[in-house]
Amino acid sequence: MAGKTADEATWKEMMAVFFARQIEDGDTLCSGAHTEISFTAAMLAQRMHAPNLRLQLGGTGWLCNLVGQDVWGVPKTSVDYRISQWAEGYFDHPETFIFYGPPSGGRDYYEHRERYADTNRYFFADHFFVGGIQVDLHGNVNLIGLAKDGRMTMRGPGTVGINDVITVRNMFVFMTAHDERRFVEQVDYVSTMGPSGWREKQFPGNGPQWIVSPRGVFDFSGEGMTARLRGVFPGHSEEEIVSNTGFEVERSRHFEEIPPPTDEELGRLREEIDREGVLRS
Amino acid sequence: MSAGKQATQQGNGHMSDALGRREVVATAAEVAARVEDGMTVAIGGFVVANHPMPIVRELIRKGARDLTVIGNATAGLEVDLLIGAGCVRKVIAPYVGAELYAPIGNCFRRAAENGEVEVWECSEYILYAGLQARAMGQEFMAWRGGIGTSIPELNKDLKVFESPLGDGKEYLAVPAIGADWGFFHVGLADKYGNGQHVGSRFGDRLIARGSDRVALCTERLVPNEVIRRDPLRTSIPYADAIVEAPYGSHPYAAHGFYAEDEQHIRDYVEATAAYRKGDEAAFQEYLERWITGPEDHDAYVEAVGIRKLLELERVYGGAGATGRSVAGVA
């Protein structure tokens, strides 16, 4: 770890470390569509503090445990065949969706998780990642496109399957850039609802619980489950976030300082997982 | 396709051939010839892996028009290519792109924004629910994912209804969707139409079940005995056509065989990025060099070149050591 001090972390490394910190041992996690940040976060968590993390890595249904395994690098895509080297199980992609039912079948699991400590929860996603071209005050995410006067002017990539995981306990909305065009009062199209929408539509899961950007983190502690600033990443400021956000920024009642990556976090990330420096490019 | 005669001469258990068991080996061009303009075709694989490219290229070469294309749940640039080549009228897919290579397919984006293709807005499980309804002979499947989103507003085929159980919950009725043809890329197949995936099967089995006719491109055409050695692995039985196509997923990966050709994909993305902005020259050049130029799949493979193909195989060298490769299979 010589010569790698925490303040050298890139924004991608900081995001990966932040995500890894939220993942607890025994959780289940699906990191489906590829991004180098969510992949490394899941891999780091499993190697560092969550050896019992039940991890579906990639969209091709491999159930992976990396403990004691040779990590050859960060997969470049969600369909890299070499992910199978870390796999202990597999299911076809359409079957993914029959593995998401929570114990008890309903809301009770989310309100009283402690009651389900002895249940198998195979393979229910506690965590999921969703990217977006826009996110709004209510946590609605848009991957469909941008509109002007009711007409689609920019076609986005498509919804993928995020809206299908109606049982997820915690969804990280993660944005790879933070500006007023992306953080808006109201999204042009909704591909995944924010948390209040999930409650209103009586979905079992909680939906989005965080918005994470290169600059900082929002939770949904505001009135009506609206976004509130939870913390600022090292090297960034609250003023910077306010001036780059298209909705009014207020502090969360849980506002906290987000510590930079520890030497251990950054060292293990760089030496055991991201040896090629994907997160540094 | 005359192998049946040889088999009977070997005796021991091949009498079924003498009884006229149908063999379905065909060329990609023969399969493409059976696709009529206006048909619906489904294409298997996932993102940058296991796409049946010889058939995709033959569809373009023959000038197929007005196709409805059902993509896989994370449709890649194989669908983007068909759109750019002018074959497509409607796209049924929850995503068209190639992750970090191209977050959005450029041809898809251009055609969708110009209204040149209709997009049947869906999500992964909405796509699967429609295919499942078709596979089960039902008119629709009920699904909650997509409720509260813009998807039902953008796709009028999806109907929101309230649960008849009286709990006030909303559901989507996803109508059955099916294809005239489904095209997939597998590792092994025999002449009778039994296909076996090597590595992930993606959504291929369900998409095949939603298809009225199925053609498989296969890395290896193997004797029926090899298939019988492990019938559990037969992922798509009873295909209507088997196309022997080593390196048939190039420029994309084939699980268990070779990785995707990064440079080729980046060149495609660069050419189509210019195409999206109105400069069509590089994309036309791509089509001529890789699609309309080579006269068949063998010529395409020759154009890619042995050095490149060996390099792509070596990327999976380590994966072979895990025992999941086709080692030991003829």
Side-chain angles (χ1 to χ4, degrees), chain B residues 36-242:
Chain B
E36 293 164 22
D37 287 353
M39 274 188 165
T40 298
V41 301
I43 303 193
F46 219 78
V47 204
V48 290
N50 284 55
H51 301 305
M53 295 309 290
I55 295 175
V56 168
R57 284 188 285 264
E58 287 296 344
L59 288 172
I60 297 169
R61 282 162 59 86
K62 77 167 218 164
R65 289 290 176 270
D66 297 324
L67 300 177
T68 292
V69 174
I70 299 176
N72 36 92
T74 311
L77 301 176
E78 77 293 354
V79 171
D80 191 67
L81 173 66
L82 282 169
I83 295 169
C87 305
V88 181
R89 187 184 61 80
K90 181 177 174 182
V91 180
I92 298 177
Y95 173 88
V96 179
E99 297 182 339
L100 82 157
Y101 295 111
I104 310 171
N106 289 310
C107 300
F108 167 70
R109 183 173 165 189
R110 169 176 154 156
E113 288 174 0
N114 295 345
E116 291 160 8
V117 295
E118 180 190 340
V119 180
W120 198 84
E121 201 74 48
C122 61
S123 60
E124 289 181 347
Y125 205 78
I126 291 173
L127 170 71
Y128 289 143
L131 291 162
Q132 194 177 339
R134 172 69 164 248
M136 295 167 76
Q138 296 198 152
E139 278 64 40
F140 72 93
M141 290 287 290
W143 179 241
R144 298 192 72 200
I147 290 293
T149 73
S150 303
I151 298 170
E153 291 157 33
L154 293 165
N155 183 344
K156 299 298 180 193
D157 290 347
L158 304 171
K159 307 295 182 192
V160 178
F161 70 100
E162 197 175 303
S163 168
L165 300 180
D167 56 15
K169 291 175 180 170
E170 290 175 323
Y171 280 74
L172 284 182
V174 181
I177 51 176
D180 295 297
W181 274 99
F183 303 129
F184 308 90
H185 185 82
V186 298
L188 317 175
D190 70 9
K191 63 188 176 185
Y192 302 124
N194 296 305
Q196 298 188 337
H197 282 76
V198 174
S200 179
R201 298 183 293 255
F202 317 97
D204 287 2
R205 292 199 297 169
L206 181 55
I207 301 171
R209 282 295 302 120
S211 303
D212 291 342
R213 300 165 196 82
V214 168
L216 307 180
C217 292
T218 184
E219 285 293 324
R220 302 277 185 274
L221 183 63
V222 298
N224 177 252
E225 288 77 1
V226 173
I227 297 294
R228 286 173 183 271
R229 214 176 278 162
D230 192 0
L232 269 178
R233 230 161 101 163
T234 302
S235 41
I236 303 183
Y238 311 130
D240 301 276
I242 297 291

Side-chain angles (χ1 to χ4, degrees), chain A residues 10-260:
Chain A
T10 65
W11 66 268
K12 288 182 179 180
E13 287 175 326
M14 182 65 238
M15 274 174 89
V17 166
F18 177 82
F19 288 138
R21 287 172 184 166
Q22 316 307 316
I23 298 165
E24 293 172 24
D25 195 26
D27 282 355
T28 65
L29 184 148
C30 176
S31 186
H34 176 273
T35 81
E36 65 276 28
I37 300 170
S38 59
F39 267 42
T40 49
M43 293 162 79
L44 178 65
Q46 203 175 47
R47 293 279 288 209
M48 202 163 70
H49 61 261
N52 299 293
L53 175 67
R54 293 172 182 178
L55 171 63
Q56 181 190 334
L57 194 60
T60 47
W62 303 112
L63 302 179
C64 296
N65 193 302
L66 284 79
V67 175
Q69 300 296 304
D70 174 35
V71 178
W72 46 263
V74 181
K76 279 211 176 82
T77 74
S78 71
V79 294
D80 192 320
Y81 175 60
R82 294 170 298 167
I83 295 172
S84 66
Q85 287 178 15
W86 307 320
E88 302 170 318
Y90 164 83
F91 39 65
D92 278 14
H93 185 254
E95 291 178 306
T96 304
F97 299 93
I98 66 172
F99 284 90
Y100 287 145
S104 85
R107 256 320 276 177
D108 195 57
Y109 169 79
Y110 305 85
E111 307 290 350
H112 304 284
R113 278 184 79 219
E114 69 287 354
R115 292 179 189 167
Y116 299 93
D118 69 336
T119 59
N120 173 295
R121 290 184 290 133
Y122 160 73
F123 171 87
F124 162 62
D126 286 317
H127 307 282
F128 218 97
F129 297 92
V130 52
I133 53 179
Q134 285 180 324
V135 62
D136 69 19
L137 178 65
H138 296 274
N140 296 305
V141 179
N142 174 15
L143 277 162
I144 294 173
L146 302 178
K148 199 172 183 184
D149 306 324
R151 199 185 141 264
M152 194 182 294
T153 51
M154 182 265 173
R155 175 69 220 189
T159 65
V160 206
I162 310 297
N163 57 281
D164 294 316
V165 194
I166 60 170
T167 56
V168 69
R169 183 164 65 84
N170 163 38
M171 200 173 264
F172 296 105
V173 177
F174 83 97
M175 305 292 288
T176 52
H178 188 149
D179 57 38
E180 286 181 292
R181 290 186 306 131
R182 292 174 175 85
F183 283 69
V184 295
E185 191 75 34
Q186 192 175 2
V187 293
D188 293 357
Y189 297 98
V190 178
S191 59
T192 303
M193 285 187 292
S196 60
W198 287 53
R199 301 272 47 79
E200 187 192 318
K201 296 296 181 186
Q202 302 186 65
F203 280 0
N206 293 330
Q209 302 294 293
W210 305 90
I211 308 171
V212 183
S213 86
R215 301 182 197 270
V217 179
F218 292 81
D219 64 19
F220 292 100
S221 61
E223 198 183 332
M225 296 186 175
T226 49
R228 290 285 183 270
L229 186 64
R230 175 68 168 252
V232 179
F233 281 144
H236 298 275
S237 70
E238 204 168 338
E239 295 69 35
E240 178 195 322
I241 288 176
V242 168
S243 63
N244 283 285
T245 302
F247 53 81
E248 198 181 331
V249 177
E250 288 180 44
R251 275 192 181 198
S252 163
R253 60 178 177 271
H254 309 294
F255 186 88
E256 60 192 342
E257 191 185 331
I258 300 175

Side-chain angles (χ1 to χ4, degrees), chain B residues 252-299:
Chain B
Y252 308 109
H255 272 200
F257 294 90
Y258 47 87
E260 75 270 18
D261 186 339
E262 288 185 30
Q263 191 55 51
H264 188 116
I265 295 171
R266 290 189 199 286
D267 289 348
Y268 172 86
V269 170
E270 193 181 328
T272 53
Y275 167 79
R276 184 176 77 77
K277 291 171 186 152
D279 179 0
E280 307 196 356
F283 183 50
Q284 284 309 323
E285 202 176 300
Y286 177 91
L287 290 174
E288 282 158 29
R289 180 173 176 197
W290 296 110
I291 314 293
T292 56
E295 63 184 15
D296 56 18
H297 180 61
D298 288 1

